[in-house]
Amino acid sequence: MVVRALRDEGVKYIYGYPGGALLHVYDALFQQEDVQHVLVRHEQAATHMADAYARATGKAGVALVTSGPGATNAITGIATAYMDSIPMVVITGQVMSYLIGEDAFQETDMLGISRPIVKHNFSVTRAEDIPEIIKKAFHIAESGRPGPVVVDIPKDMTAPTERFPYEYPKSVKLRSYSPVTKGHSGQIKKAVDMLLGAKRPIIYSGGGIIMGDASAELIELAQLLNFPVTNTLMGLGGYPGTDRQFVGMLGMHGSYEANMTMHHSDLVLAIGARFDDRVTNATDKFCPTARIVHVDIDPASISKTIQADVPIVGPAKVVLEEMIQLVKASKKQPDAEAIASWWKQIDEWRSRHGGHYRTDDSELMKPQQVIEMLSKVTNGDAYVCSDVGQHQMFAAQYYKFNKPNRWINSGGLGTMGFGFPAAMGVKMNFPNEEVVCVTGEGSIQMNIQELSTCSQYNIPVKIICLNNQSLGMVRQWQDMNYEARHSHSYMDSLPDFKKLVEAYGHVGMKVEKYSDLENAMREAFAMKDRLVFMDIMVDPFEHVYPMQVPRGAMRDMWLSKTERT
Amino acid sequence: MRHIISVLMENEPGALSRVVGLFSQRNFNIESLTVAPTEDATLSRLTVTTIGDDRVIEQITKQLNKLIDVVKVVDLTEGEHIERELMMIKLKASGQMRAEIKRTADIFRGQIIDVTPTTYTVQMIGSSEKLDAFITSLGAASIMEVVRSGVSGIARGEKVLSL
Ligand SMILES: Cc1cc2nc3c(=O)[nH]c(=O)nc-3n(C[C@H](O)[C@H](O)[C@H](O)COP(=O)(O)OP(=O)(O)OC[C@H]3O[C@@H](n4cnc5c(N)ncnc54)[C@H](O)[C@@H]3O)c2cc1C
Ligand SMILES: Cc1ncc(C[n+]2csc(CCOP(=O)(O)OP(=O)(O)O)c2C)c(N)n1
Ligand SMILES: [Mg+2]
């Protein structure tokens, strides 16, 4: 029943790991071919694969894990999806229903453990409810503000003694759940009026544009108005990275021009972004002269950390469409002169500090150079799945994303170990696209066992490991705030990654000189059907800049080890 | 400020734990909490009293509304409403204290619902403030045990919280 429901939902791949509580389900999987199961080497990887599929397509990915340790291994992956509002359905096995609560073998209270990190969870108490519950799980995961949903299924529910007619519902209705489908027209009018009157505006967009499939509408509105656009870490690709109106990412490691533009603006149009603390810096100093229009599908995101002047609850795509119509129909024109002088100011900021790093004072390869090379070699078109650390920030800053859904990373939870399984999940579903995992020598070791899964299913991702021989992001904070006391932030006794991946049957490369980088990278990408691990030795002392000064305003930044705004 | 928030939710296992979990997860405070089924057996009604500034209360109601099992949420303190709480209080009652306690209970319209030679148990219904006032006014009497139900509330007039 579980497998049939998944098939009828149109699921092609599920990622999982078997165990006692799931034996009936695995037996059903064995006897059909519609739903293909991918056997991972650790349940966390299964959840990240499902999650990344969702990030790339907007549709819920599916993971299948057994009770007890299988379920708890999935927790990090569920929390990762939850923090970034990613649709996912995680099916967890459970002990026999009559054993629940007795500390039975491999029993954990998965409903209780997962409760704070799911959009919703279900427990099956009657076998005949399975199709409807699975339908509801997908509906809840994918609609409104997306999120992970757990379905906990006791073993006896998957082998009922009676037979039931099976029917997969076409749609479901829940009386207590009806996400908004449209924004409030009066509020939208008011917002458009403010947009047209603004002299120093900026559009600040986030993950809601990516998951809400609203990139085209965002581009149209921004270009219609000639407003600058900044993206959050989760929103990259929502607006083309190489376009003149794009001022870069904002926030803690945002660009100088993005943070300056935000700070000095008189109007912030926030869409599908949640004013995270990594974005706002100190909330009491945030954008002191700006009025805020906030569009979000989740009313709880609005005025949570920053009070909105015009709140609009609705899907970004629909609200933007309405805004575009209103702007086009309006007699009022944007103040071209004010906008032109605003651009002059922004361009001046851009030329002063835009995207510079030093290459001259050291022989070592800079991580930024590697990402720029990657962007060049892949024409800015690859799916880039990142791990967490300095390499993630360099990838966000220096890879120019021109399309949505191609920058895949863990922003809210910051889960090291996410990048590699994420790349696998994307590659399986887009076999003809370039899929890259950008990682560090620390992060990659958190799910390195998946090299084995890649051999089994032939998943030829490219792994770009920026090897700085340290937990660079931690080390940077220690340099800046703890007088360079590097407590446990170095990586002693690293493996020989080249030999390691070769042992799994893949191709390994080690690159130590910048002059070798381009050729090596081109060679790696030419091997279309091989997994290639590029172990690239980079400057271990490099820091990520800009970096906002703690408890400061948006504009308060370190621009290098010695310069401050 | 103190708010009384009424929640109509699916009468299902797990629903209550979602609400309670939300409060601890998001660092919201709970002063009291009551829950029981309604006339419609598929729904239960939960009343929570909490303290917070406007921003916190706004987040509480928004976050409650987001829970899939929650059907409706209303902050009763935003409008005219009635609140009631039930208290049972067991007191040492001997000698002249017996008359004293009885008199005070009468003033507060409490009822003595259990009597032994040495104790009285008084039942009292009213706003939380009134119950607090009763406890204070008992003065010298020695309290053995206090059980309070937590606040239930309902809006005045035509307004109802229903499907
Ligand atoms: C090491 C590290 C450093 C970081 N540094 C930065 C940094 O410098 N800058 C930065 O920006 N981030 C940074 N982050 C990420 C940060 O922690 C947050 O994850 C990120 O800022 C949140 O992005 P967002 O606001 O786009 O929200 P998301 O988490 O993407 O949330 C999306 C929002 O959109 C809404 N939404 C969803 N669907 C729709 C729809 N269809 N229509 C309308 N709204 C919708 C949701 O309700 C939600 O409010 C960093 C993370 C790490 C790990
Ligand atoms: C699972 C997990 N544990 C710890 C952290 C804290 N943390 C954030 S970045 C980082 C260092 C990452 O090192 P590496 O992967 O080598 O990347 P680098 O910063 O060196 O580029 C650590 C330990 C985390 N984000 N995730
Ligand atoms: Mg490192």
Side-chain angles (χ1 to χ4, degrees):
Chain A
M1 208 116 80
V2 177
V3 177
R4 257 169 93 179
L6 292 174
R7 180 200 65 193
D8 291 346
E9 184 58 40
V11 174
K12 183 169 169 212
Y13 289 116
I14 62 175
Y15 314 93
Y17 210 87
L22 285 180
L23 286 172
H24 302 311
V25 177
Y26 270 86
D27 194 45
L29 277 170
F30 191 81
Q31 298 176 46
Q32 54 85 56
E33 278 169 5
D34 299 317
V35 180
Q36 293 175 51
H37 178 270
V38 179
L39 179 71
V40 293
R41 299 298 181 268
H42 186 292
E43 288 86 351
Q44 183 188 349
T47 54
H48 292 331
M49 286 181 81
D51 165 317
Y53 163 76
R55 290 178 200 245
T57 63
K59 293 207 283 283
V62 185
L64 178 65
V65 299
T66 192
S67 70
T72 54
N73 271 351
I75 287 292
T76 303
I78 298 170
T80 302
Y82 178 74
M83 289 300 283
D84 290 340
S85 307
I86 304 302
M88 177 159 90
V89 173
V90 179
I91 298 175
T92 57
Q94 185 52 278
V95 300
M96 302 282 190
S97 55
Y98 53 84
L99 291 177
I100 291 178
E102 296 185 358
D103 299 322
F105 176 63
Q106 293 195 329
E107 179 188 356
T108 49
D109 173 12
M110 190 54 180
L111 291 181
I113 294 177
S114 67
R115 201 211 67 243
I117 51 166
V118 292
K119 184 166 172 189
H120 195 59
N121 54 23
F122 292 95
S123 156
V124 175
T125 51
R126 302 183 325 160
E128 61 265 43
D129 294 343
I130 289 175
E132 190 178 334
I133 287 179
I134 289 185
K135 183 77 206 176
K136 280 184 183 165
F138 277 92
H139 172 60
I140 292 171
E142 289 175 351
S143 58
R145 178 177 184 168
V149 176
V150 165
V151 181
D152 199 41
I153 312 183
K155 185 171 184 179
D156 46 335
M157 297 296 143
T158 57
T161 43
E162 293 163 60
R163 301 198 133 260
F164 309 101
Y166 166 91
E167 200 196 336
Y168 194 66
K170 284 200 185 59
S171 64
V172 279
K173 244 182 90 72
L174 289 114
R175 65 175 171 185
S176 57
Y177 175 71
S178 49
V180 285
T181 53
K182 204 177 160 308
H184 186 281
S185 298
Q187 291 288 90
I188 297 177
K189 275 212 190 72
K190 203 161 136 193
V192 166
D193 213 51
M194 283 165 70
L195 291 177
L196 292 170
K199 294 190 188 314
R200 300 186 313 280
I202 181 161
I203 299 176
Y204 146 48
S205 82
I209 293 290
I210 310 289
M211 278 297 130
D213 184 27
S215 174
E217 291 75 11
L218 172 69
I219 296 170
E220 187 174 354
L221 182 73
Q223 298 191 345
L224 206 56
L225 294 164
N226 187 26
F227 284 4
V229 182
T230 180
N231 288 163
T232 67
L233 181 73
M234 300 312 296
L236 292 174
Y239 192 87
T242 50
D243 188 85
R244 178 192 64 89
Q245 279 171 245
F246 187 61
V247 295
M249 181 170 85
L250 81 168
M252 178 175 280
H253 292 300
S255 74
Y256 174 73
E257 54 270 35
N259 287 343
M260 293 300 275
T261 309
M262 284 292 287
H263 183 85
H264 294 281
S265 65
D266 69 348
L267 180 74
V268 172
L269 170 59
I271 317 173
R274 57 186 174 83
F275 294 87
D276 185 76
D277 53 283
R278 295 253 150 160
V279 163
T280 58
N281 209 356
T283 49
D284 55 340
K285 298 178 186 150
F286 179 75
C287 299
T289 50
R291 285 184 300 163
I292 313 265
V293 177
H294 192 177
V295 183
D296 202 292
I297 201 160
D298 176 6
S301 275
I302 299 178
S303 301
K304 182 169 67 179
T305 59
I306 299 286
Q307 191 70 31
D309 297 292
V310 182
I312 301 173
V313 180
K317 193 181 180 79
V318 181
V319 173
L320 280 168
E321 272 167 7
E322 208 169 323
M323 286 183 164
I324 291 166
Q325 292 316 318
L326 287 172
V327 170
K328 282 183 173 163
S330 167
K331 286 193 204 68
K332 195 165 154 189
Q333 295 292 317
D335 183 343
E337 209 172 300
I339 303 293
S341 74
W342 183 224
W343 270 116
K344 205 165 144 245
Q345 171 66 73
I346 295 168
D347 287 336
E348 203 242 308
W349 285 324
R350 180 146 42 190
S351 64
R352 212 186 308 167
H353 287 291
H356 299 314
Y357 57 90
R358 293 219 179 95
T359 49
D360 45 22
D361 54 353
S362 141
E363 284 293 285
L364 289 156
M365 215 183 317
K366 293 286 180 185
Q368 297 93 324
Q369 293 178 299
V370 180
I371 302 294
E372 284 186 329
M373 183 62 76
L374 179 67
S375 197
K376 178 175 157 194
V377 169
T378 57
N379 298 318
D381 256 356
Y383 284 85
V384 178
C385 303
S386 179
D387 259 310
V388 171
Q390 291 184 319
H391 60 273
Q392 174 188 26
M393 293 299 112
F394 292 133
Q397 292 175 333
Y398 292 95
Y399 197 94
K400 299 296 170 212
F401 294 95
N402 280 320
K403 295 182 191 154
N405 303 90
R406 297 198 169 215
W407 165 240
I408 290 175
N409 81 135
S410 164
L413 199 66
T415 309
M416 287 172 70
F418 173 80
F420 179 30
M424 293 161 58
V426 175
K427 185 69 186 174
M428 288 203 83
N429 289 280
F430 296 92
N432 299 321
E433 301 275 354
E434 289 299 359
V435 181
V436 182
C437 164
V438 172
T439 186
E441 79 302 322
S443 294
I444 190 66
Q445 293 190 76
M446 286 216 180
N447 267 319
I448 199 151
Q449 75 287 345
E450 297 307 317
L451 285 167
S452 168
T453 311
C454 289
S455 326
Q456 183 174 351
Y457 296 94
N458 186 26
I459 312 175
V461 296
K462 304 291 179 277
I463 300 173
I464 305 292
C465 179
L466 301 184
N467 189 340
N468 55 6
Q469 299 161 66
S470 72
L471 302 174
M473 187 56 97
V474 174
R475 182 191 177 113
Q476 172 167 352
W477 284 66
Q478 290 170 338
D479 283 341
M480 297 175 76
N481 302 322
Y482 299 89
E483 295 162 331
R485 287 188 297 279
H486 296 150
S487 177
H488 301 274
S489 58
Y490 64 97
M491 287 298 252
D492 213 359
S493 62
L494 284 172
D496 179 337
F497 285 113
K498 184 171 179 301
K499 278 197 192 140
L500 181 74
V501 301
E502 283 168 2
Y504 282 101
H506 304 303
V507 180
M509 290 180 175
K510 184 165 183 168
V511 186
E512 287 171 283
K513 291 206 303 280
Y514 184 65
S515 51
D516 295 338
L517 183 65
E518 178 158 5
N519 282 341
M521 219 180 247
R522 291 200 185 279
E523 197 187 320
F525 281 95
M527 288 184 255
K528 291 277 171 224
D529 51 5
R530 298 300 299 275
L531 182 152
V532 184
F533 187 112
M534 297 187 75
D535 186 17
I536 304 176
M537 307 309 290
V538 296
D539 183 355
F541 303 106
E542 189 63 10
H543 284 178
V544 183
Y545 292 109
M547 180 163 177
Q548 281 176 333
V549 176
R551 289 176 296 281
M554 288 295 289
R555 65 169 168 189
D556 299 329
M557 290 167 267
W558 285 100
L559 300 169
S560 73
K561 286 183 186 171
T562 51
E563 299 158 85
R564 253 197 75 160
T565 51
Chain B
M1 217 186 78
R2 174 173 173 272
H3 290 253
I4 304 174
I5 295 171
S6 268
V7 180
L8 203 60
M9 60 188 199
E10 300 287 352
N11 186 5
E12 269 173 18
L16 177 62
S17 77
R18 286 182 220 281
V19 173
V20 175
L22 177 77
F23 274 75
S24 69
Q25 176 188 356
R26 300 213 174 249
N27 218 356
F28 300 147
N29 121 311
I30 296 183
E31 292 276 296
S32 79
L33 178 109
T34 67
V35 60
T38 64
E39 81 287 1
D40 175 346
T42 67
L43 291 172
S44 48
R45 174 141 171 176
L46 177 147
T47 312
V48 57
T49 53
T50 182
I51 293 179
D53 60 25
D54 289 354
R55 177 169 293 189
V56 172
I57 300 299
E58 184 180 326
Q59 268 297 311
I60 292 178
T61 50
K62 283 173 167 179
Q63 295 290 354
L64 281 169
N65 262 313
K66 259 171 83 171
L67 295 177
I68 308 289
D69 286 335
V70 167
V71 182
K72 274 197 179 148
V73 179
V74 67
D75 179 358
L76 287 175
T77 21
E78 273 182 357
E80 294 272 307
H81 67 280
I82 301 162
E83 67 164 281
R84 288 289 181 271
E85 189 177 353
L86 167 73
M87 173 168 74
M88 291 185 276
I89 178 165
K90 190 175 287 183
L91 301 153
K92 277 228 160 62
S94 48
Q96 64 187 48
M97 281 315 286
R98 282 180 93 82
E100 182 66 32
I101 291 170
K102 171 106 181 43
R103 229 179 356 259
T104 319
D106 283 345
I107 296 170
F108 280 83
R109 293 173 196 271
Q111 285 167 287
I112 296 174
I113 53 171
D114 186 51
V115 180
T116 72
T118 52
T119 68
Y120 272 159
T121 300
V122 180
Q123 162 190 299
M124 185 158 302
I125 296 167
S127 69
S128 307
E129 254 179 356
K130 174 179 158 179
L131 305 190
D132 292 343
F134 177 64
I135 293 177
T136 319
S137 67
L138 283 170
S142 79
I143 297 170
M144 300 167 70
E145 194 177 351
V146 175
V147 199
R148 296 171 69 148
S149 65
V151 175
S152 291
I154 196 162
R156 283 189 186 276
E158 298 272 310
K159 257 209 272 172
V160 290
L161 182 64
S162 65
L163 267 185

